[in-house]
Amino acid sequence: QDFDYAQRAVRLGAYDFIVKPVRNDELERVIALAVMELENRHLELSLNENMTEAINRLEERHQSSLPFLRSKFISEQIGGARASETEAYIISEQLGISCSRIAVL
């Protein structure tokens, strides 16, 4: 009944309000909804954690693959693979190969 208490409760993260006299069915409903909300938050946090771990694993795999990919790209260029100058530049940038110009004779 006091609006200040309601405002404060919202700022503190209250899920819902139950007014007196408390009815059991209303109390059960609010508790069930709160439990569902907490479970959903827990699931979301778990999914975010799993996604972060997967991204970290992919980043590690990418970093460990870079030397091989650089070597393969350079070997293909030397061996006669015909990437346009633009394509070769883009690929070299993606692989972290620093060069101002690529020329294969």
Side-chain angles (χ1 to χ4, degrees), residues 10-101:
V10 168
R11 281 194 301 270
L12 293 173
Y15 180 76
D16 204 340
F17 299 96
I18 301 173
V19 295
K20 291 181 182 179
V22 177
R23 293 187 349 251
N24 287 340
D25 61 329
E26 180 69 9
L27 180 61
E28 288 176 12
R29 183 189 69 78
V30 170
I31 290 173
L33 290 173
V35 167
M36 256 191 334
E37 177 72 21
L38 289 172
E39 288 173 347
N40 287 340
R41 287 182 188 176
H42 179 71
L43 178 61
E44 185 177 331
L45 287 173
S46 178
L47 290 173
N48 285 340
E49 186 177 294
N50 290 344
M51 189 173 5
T52 300
E53 289 174 9
I55 289 169
N56 289 338
R57 284 192 305 273
L58 285 172
E59 179 65 27
E60 288 171 10
R61 286 177 61 190
H62 172 70
Q63 289 300 322
S64 68
S65 297
L66 278 176
F68 169 76
L69 293 172
R70 289 175 183 139
S71 176
K72 183 174 185 267
F73 172 71
I74 292 170
S75 295
E76 287 173 350
Q77 294 304 302
I78 292 171
R82 298 284 182 213
S84 72
E85 188 174 336
T86 303
E87 286 177 320
Y89 178 77
I90 291 170
I91 293 170
S92 66
E93 286 288 315
Q94 291 172 339
L95 294 174
I97 300 171
S98 178
C99 60
S100 60
R101 185 167 199 162

